[in-house]
Amino acid sequence: VYPRQKQYDHVLVHGANLIATRARIAFLIKLWLDGVRFNKLVFLTGARMLDAKQEPLAALEDKAQTILPVRPDWQFDAPMAYKTETDMTKLVYDQALLPAELRSVPVQFVDAAPTVAADGTVKRPTTVDTLVTWLRGNPVPGTCLFISNQPFVGYQDSITRTVLQSAFTIETVGFAIPAPYESVSLYLDSLARWLY
């Protein structure tokens, strides 16, 4: 799903695991190169602890990965400082080889806190939590382009329209899921979340 316009007030990138975060930033770069412009870039992330299997430190510093080109001058500093999705997203954005004009766009990292259920269970921040946290900062109402990927575009668009105030015009876009990651269970789970 591609943008219908070329100019937005806010572009917001939904949080994700390491691979999807890199792919979403790569999609952001593609949109920029296709002429999409915006006044502010926002990453909707949270205090989800990194998964040691999906997001090991070695993967964070992998300059050879092919999803998102890394700046040639990028250095991995203080590896122990990267513990949450927000930490990881900041690192991936910092290491990304971006067009100079895109790098100059003001950027904000939303860091939604985990929630505690009635039984004391700590739950990772959700899409709703990141949106509510962003709204607490009183963003200027306007046009918003949200970046996700399939099969989550419809689900995240529905949540965003439910949470955001009517002062925001919302559009959600995203790239197709790569074939190796496709599965019936993933599609059904996303559809169930969308319907729920």
Side-chain angles (χ1 to χ4, degrees), residues 134-179:
W134 180 59
L135 285 175
R136 284 187 191 130
N138 295 314
V140 176
T143 54
C144 297
L145 180 68
F146 287 84
I147 295 179
S148 183
N149 61 272
Q150 297 294 17
F152 311 113
V153 171
Y155 156 69
Q156 289 188 310
D157 184 74
S158 179
I159 288 175
T160 301
R161 290 178 187 281
T162 301
V163 174
L164 288 190
Q165 305 155 0
S166 60
F168 294 94
T169 303
I170 298 162
E171 188 178 346
T172 306
V173 298
F175 56 92
I177 189 170

Side-chain angles (χ1 to χ4, degrees), residues 40-128:
K40 188 163 187 181
L41 175 60
V42 179
F43 288 93
L44 298 169
T45 64
R48 170 186 67 82
M49 298 307 290
L50 294 180
D51 182 321
K53 290 182 181 177
Q54 286 188 18
E55 302 155 323
L57 285 176
L60 291 177
E61 65 179 326
D62 183 7
K63 289 186 174 184
Q65 54 78 30
T66 58
I67 299 169
L68 179 66
V70 174
R71 292 187 296 124
D73 63 334
W74 179 80
Q75 295 295 321
F76 194 38
D77 298 325
M80 299 316 291
Y82 301 98
K83 297 183 178 176
T84 68
E85 180 181 294
T86 302
D87 299 332
M88 177 265 297
T89 303
K90 288 178 179 178
L91 178 140
V92 171
Y93 178 75
D94 178 59
Q95 71 184 186
L97 182 60
L98 301 175
E101 293 168 341
L102 174 54
R103 179 70 74 186
S104 70
V105 172
V107 65
Q108 173 187 1
F109 294 90
V110 171
D111 187 16
T115 57
V116 181
D119 65 358
T121 306
V122 177
K123 301 208 178 228
R124 61 172 279 183
T126 64
T127 299
V128 171

Side-chain angles (χ1 to χ4, degrees), residues 3-12 27-41 99-106 143-145 147 171:
R4 294 189 295 265
Q5 302 178 96
K6 290 292 188 181
Q7 181 67 46
Y8 297 88
D9 295 311
H10 311 276
V11 165
L12 301 100
F27 188 66
L28 169 73
I29 294 169
K30 179 189 181 328
L31 297 180
W32 182 271
L33 295 175
D34 288 344
V36 175
R37 296 294 183 266
F38 40 91
N39 301 328
K40 188 163 187 181
L41 175 60
E101 293 168 341
L102 174 54
R103 179 70 74 186
S104 70
V105 172
T143 54
C144 297
L145 180 68
I147 295 179
E171 188 178 346

